[in-house]
Amino acid sequence: LSLHGVAGLIPVPLGNSHPSSQCEMSPSSLFAIKGTVAHLKCRTYAVTGTPVVAETLNGKKTENTEHSCDDAHPPIIDHDHLLIMAEVTDAYVHQSYWDDKKLLFRPLSQDVPPYLTFFGSQTFGYVTSGNNDNTL
C-alpha cells in the first residue's frame, strides 16, 4: 500500500475508464480504477468485521498488528474478510461489454478481452463473448 492507496492503481472518475486531465479529483471524490470495465456506485449501510488499524494509548495512536478484530467481537467471516451491507444506486458498463438487446454484461465481440468474475468459495472464472453469432 502507498500513502494514497494501492501502489500502481490509478483512480479515474466514476463512469469513465480513462483519467481525464479536465476533471480534477479531490480526495473525497468517488472513483473507479483505470482499466476496469464496470463500476458500481453503492450506498453503504454497514461494514461488519472492520479491521482494527490503530488504537489510542494514552492519547497516542499505535498500530495494532496482533489481530484484525476486537477480541470481544470476533469477525463474522474470518480475519481476512469484511461483510458489507450496501445498495447499488448506479452502475456503469463500458460500451463494448454491454449487450443492449439482451441486457447482458459480457464482451460483445471476440476482439474484446474477457473479464474476471468470482463464483465464490475461492473459485474464479472469466467471461468471453461466446460464439461468433453473439448468442449465449
Side-chain angles (χ1 to χ4, degrees):
L1 289 177
S2 72
L3 178 63
H4 301 289
V6 178
L9 296 183
I10 300 168
V12 296
L14 195 64
N16 292 302
S17 57
H18 302 290
S20 170
S21 58
Q22 299 169 344
C23 180
E24 282 295 317
M25 293 181 55
S26 72
S28 63
S29 294
L30 294 177
F31 67 92
I33 301 299
K34 180 181 176 184
T36 55
V37 298
H39 314 152
L40 297 177
K41 180 180 175 184
C42 301
R43 176 176 291 117
T44 304
Y45 295 106
V47 179
T48 305
T50 305
V52 175
V53 176
E55 292 180 339
T56 303
L57 182 63
N58 297 329
K60 291 184 175 181
K61 277 191 167 183
T62 59
E63 292 298 318
N64 182 351
T65 57
E66 291 181 20
H67 51 77
S68 62
C69 292
D70 187 308
D71 288 333
H73 303 286
I76 299 256
I77 299 170
D78 60 34
H79 288 288
D80 297 322
H81 293 87
L82 304 175
L83 182 61
I84 301 173
M85 183 188 314
E87 171 187 13
V88 175
T89 59
D90 209 351
Y92 307 91
V93 178
H94 189 279
Q95 63 186 8
S96 61
Y97 287 86
W98 184 250
D99 185 337
D100 279 338
K101 294 178 183 132
K102 296 187 179 189
L103 301 179
L104 290 174
F105 174 46
R106 65 178 180 156
L108 294 182
S109 74
Q110 295 197 5
D111 296 332
V112 177
Y115 65 84
L116 182 69
T117 189
F118 178 62
F119 297 124
S121 199
Q122 299 179 353
T123 305
F124 292 85
Y126 61 93
V127 178
T128 64
S129 65
N131 55 29
N132 291 332
D133 66 0
N134 243 0
T135 59
L136 288 178

